[in-house]
Amino acid sequence: MTIAQNQAAVGGLSAAKTAAERFGILERPDLTFTPEIARETAHLYDRVKQFVPAFEWPVYAPYVHAINRLKKERGAVILAHNYQTPDIFHCVADIVGDSLQLARDATKVDAGIIIQCGVHFMAETSKLLNPEKTVLIPDGKAGCSLSESITGADVRLLKERYPGVPVVTYVNTSADVKAETDICCTSSNVLAVIESLESDTVLCIPDEYLAMNVAKQTKKKILTWKGHCEVHERFTAAELLAYKEADPSIEIIGHPECHPDVIAVCDFAGSTSGMINYVKDKRPARVLLVTECSMASNIQAEVKGVDFIKPCNLCPHMKRITLPKILDSLLFMTEEVLVDPAIAGRARLAVERMVNLKQ
Ligand code: SF4
């Protein structure tokens, strides 16, 4: 089910009473850069000054200031994925992390409103784990090539073709797909999830490269699907070897959504959290992160003394989320993410099995 189809399917739910009707609409604040705003946001500018030129901060700061004030007034919490831009990641987010961290942390937040700065499937996952809370995404069109590569109907056909084979679904999928799944996984726990199953054969969908990479680490037979991340599939082994040739001291660390040929030339491969931990623990002198470009900037702001080489592949979907759109979310309580109750229970079970898996 595409985002548009999902929105149409749950449209009847939102028609009852919208989030704006439940919480009210707020007046747009004055977005003038005043000395008071400069003073109150100075510590935040310090975190992002490597990426935001001083002459641009007067444009960013009023949004940062207003968002931080309004999220308290609304009782909202902002979750931001590692691929969000540094202004969002370091200046307005309350909780940051990869898909698994955000899914887990979403269950622990006290706030009644969750603003998900990421893509639509992440907001759906937060809603599945927090059915009583209001989940908003600042741009409902923030999709994902992996998520959109497969539908619930496709999974039903796979199950007909491979009866009895358990289905492990990457969290980068719609609730409709999760509902047809035995258990979800992320790039950080995919091996543990597969090993937790008794079957010798496992359907690991929809990311073909993640499945090919994990197949090298397990004795189980892995069946997959032809979904790809449009950001990670752009990297090539030849391009990375050229960096290595130019400077053999560069450490290359890659994300398992990349093709196995790319992973083969990496010094380390892991989820976004695994990559962050690697850089923080090992402190390589020069490092190239084979993943979405903003993540390198976000770590760079925290880790001193590491030279980041950035072949800049940006995720166009993640970049739909901006400070002005986050502000609009808080003012107008848009765009609310709802999950059709007919699928929510089964989809939640698949996510909860993953979250509760002992590792
Ligand atoms: S980086 Fe890839 S997997 Fe992540 S949201 Fe963008 S397209 Fe989807």
Side-chain angles (χ1 to χ4, degrees):
M1 192 184 281
T2 64
I3 294 172
Q5 285 169 328
N6 180 56
Q7 283 168 339
V10 298
L13 303 173
S14 59
K17 211 166 193 195
T18 65
E21 284 165 339
R22 296 199 303 277
F23 292 91
I25 288 176
L26 299 176
E27 246 180 65
R28 187 174 285 285
D30 180 5
L31 294 169
T32 308
F33 184 60
T34 62
E36 184 199 355
I37 288 179
R39 203 170 44 250
E40 290 183 11
T41 58
H43 65 294
L44 297 172
Y45 182 58
D46 212 40
R47 294 185 197 165
V48 295
K49 62 188 178 200
Q50 287 167 276
F51 316 104
V52 180
F55 69 90
E56 284 184 12
W57 185 242
V59 178
Y60 286 72
Y63 283 99
V64 167
H65 189 259
I67 290 167
N68 286 331
R69 180 173 60 79
L70 289 175
K71 77 180 177 191
K72 281 191 197 132
E73 267 179 49
R74 288 286 203 191
V77 68
I78 296 182
L79 308 187
H81 188 265
N82 291 326
Y83 296 163
Q84 291 295 294
T85 49
D87 51 321
I88 294 171
F89 191 90
H90 288 290
C91 298
V92 300
D94 299 293
I95 297 172
V96 295
D98 63 14
S99 300
L100 179 61
Q101 285 170 310
L102 295 180
R104 280 190 173 139
D105 289 343
T107 63
K108 298 176 195 153
V109 297
D110 282 335
I113 300 168
I114 293 173
I115 309 228
Q116 190 88 30
C117 296
V119 295
H120 194 269
F121 74 80
M122 295 177 178
E124 264 192 346
T125 307
S126 288
K127 182 64 183 175
L128 287 173
L129 295 175
N130 295 274
E132 305 306 323
K133 291 179 180 163
T134 298
V135 176
L136 305 175
I137 185 164
D139 187 330
K141 292 192 182 69
C144 167
S145 62
L146 265 176
S147 177
E148 283 151 32
S149 73
I150 193 163
T151 64
D154 292 328
V155 186
R156 287 194 288 279
L157 285 174
L158 281 173
K159 290 198 289 193
E160 268 176 36
R161 186 163 174 193
Y162 301 105
V165 174
V167 181
V168 173
T169 293
Y170 200 24
V171 283
N172 297 30
T173 46
S174 65
D176 184 38
V177 167
K178 289 184 176 86
E180 300 297 335
T181 293
D182 292 286
I183 181 167
C184 287
C185 74
T186 68
S187 55
S188 57
N189 65 14
V190 56
L191 181 61
V193 168
I194 286 172
E195 296 295 357
S196 76
L197 300 167
E198 283 182 7
S199 173
D200 290 337
T201 305
V202 173
L203 268 159
C204 179
I205 55 173
D207 188 336
E208 183 184 28
Y209 298 155
L210 181 76
M212 287 163 79
N213 285 317
V214 79
K216 294 184 172 182
Q217 302 168 52
T218 177
K219 292 198 171 78
K220 292 180 194 280
K221 183 176 178 193
I222 305 296
L223 306 171
T224 187
W225 185 253
K226 281 246 177 253
H228 300 141
C229 162
E230 68 185 82
V231 175
H232 291 101
E233 74 174 347
R234 267 184 264 153
F235 293 102
T236 65
E239 153 195 30
L240 300 182
L241 287 171
Y243 279 105
K244 266 279 196 213
E245 213 174 298
D247 179 357
S249 77
I250 293 175
E251 289 194 36
I252 300 182
I253 61 177
H255 192 282
E257 286 171 16
C258 295
H259 191 281
D261 289 351
V262 169
I263 297 301
V265 301
C266 289
D267 297 293
F268 170 80
S271 66
T272 55
S273 300
M275 294 165 97
I276 291 170
N277 292 339
Y278 182 95
V279 174
K280 286 184 175 171
D281 294 346
K282 305 253 179 199
R283 304 269 167 162
R286 300 193 85 194
V287 69
L288 188 156
L289 302 187
V290 191
T291 190
E292 213 270 355
C293 186
S294 289
M295 198 175 92
S297 303
N298 289 329
I299 315 177
Q300 197 176 0
E302 290 175 23
V303 182
K304 306 293 171 215
V306 176
D307 183 15
F308 287 84
I309 315 297
K310 295 183 191 165
C312 209
N313 284 350
L314 290 169
C315 172
H317 311 290
M318 289 278 180
K319 267 49 203 180
R320 293 188 82 99
I321 309 298
T322 60
L323 291 175
K325 288 181 187 170
I326 297 171
L327 179 61
D328 281 356
S329 262
L330 282 162
L331 294 174
F332 309 120
M333 298 302 290
T334 53
E335 301 179 24
E336 184 166 16
V337 176
L338 300 165
V339 180
D340 185 348
I343 58 169
R346 285 179 292 133
R348 183 177 306 119
L349 202 59
V351 178
E352 284 175 348
R353 283 191 186 127
M354 170 190 75
V355 170
N356 296 331
L357 188 74
K358 299 257 181 303
Q359 289 171 54

